[in-house]
Amino acid sequence: MAYEHSKGPYDDYNDLDDYNERYVDPSTKQRHVHEFLGSTKLAEENDERHNHRFAGVTGQAIPCGRSHVHRLYVNTDFFDHFHVISMTTGPAIDVGNGKHVHLVTGITTMNDGHRHKFIFATLIESPLT
């Protein structure tokens, strides 16, 4: 089963192969990544009303204007079905002390006749430094 990519305002490439060709140079040092976790908004009604949890690590930083973004792809937890979240984060949001986070908002893939909305911020990069 193929999952469609939920297009975000910072998507500027079409697929993973294109991303790898444009942004991943194996001879260079890895750019930073962010951990993320969250829960989807509730969907469906009555006894079927539910949400899903998810967690993961973004891809490396992708230059975008005067900032950067990250790609992320994750399956939600399983509640007789699951959903896929495939998005590009928003640009960096400064939180002080040289640290930043990214806002992510969108809609999961369709499964079991419904989708879920979500909104979350990544965790700061390198929290121990």
Side-chain angles (χ1 to χ4, degrees):
M1 173 184 220
Y3 295 103
E4 75 278 9
H5 169 73
S6 182
K7 295 295 279 184
Y10 299 98
D11 289 334
D12 65 345
Y13 51 87
N14 297 319
D15 59 39
L16 189 57
D17 290 334
D18 180 50
Y19 166 82
N20 286 333
E21 288 174 16
R22 291 176 65 185
Y23 299 111
V24 178
D25 179 356
S27 67
T28 62
K29 181 178 157 187
Q30 177 176 326
R31 297 183 181 116
H32 75 274
V33 296
H34 294 265
E35 296 169 278
F36 62 89
L37 69 157
S39 296
T40 65
K41 304 282 185 181
L42 292 168
E44 298 195 297
E45 298 298 328
N46 302 317
D47 291 342
E48 294 292 314
R49 194 157 175 81
H50 68 281
N51 70 337
H52 295 271
R53 296 168 300 166
F54 53 88
V57 177
T58 68
Q60 297 183 50
I62 303 167
C64 182
R66 301 173 96 190
S67 186
H68 68 278
V69 296
H70 298 266
R71 287 285 303 133
L72 60 92
Y73 182 94
V74 67
N75 291 344
T76 66
D77 63 355
F78 192 77
F79 178 77
D80 81 17
H81 66 279
F82 69 93
H83 300 272
V84 174
I85 294 173
S86 177
M87 292 295 300
T88 302
T89 70
I93 301 168
D94 181 31
V95 295
N97 294 328
K99 302 291 184 180
H100 69 276
V101 297
H102 297 266
L103 181 66
V104 185
T105 182
I107 301 173
T108 66
T109 55
M110 174 77 75
N111 199 349
D112 196 36
H114 66 276
R115 297 173 180 258
H116 295 265
K117 293 180 181 179
F118 58 84
I119 182 170
F120 64 93
T122 64
L123 304 179
I124 59 172
E125 83 289 3
S126 304
L128 300 178
T129 60

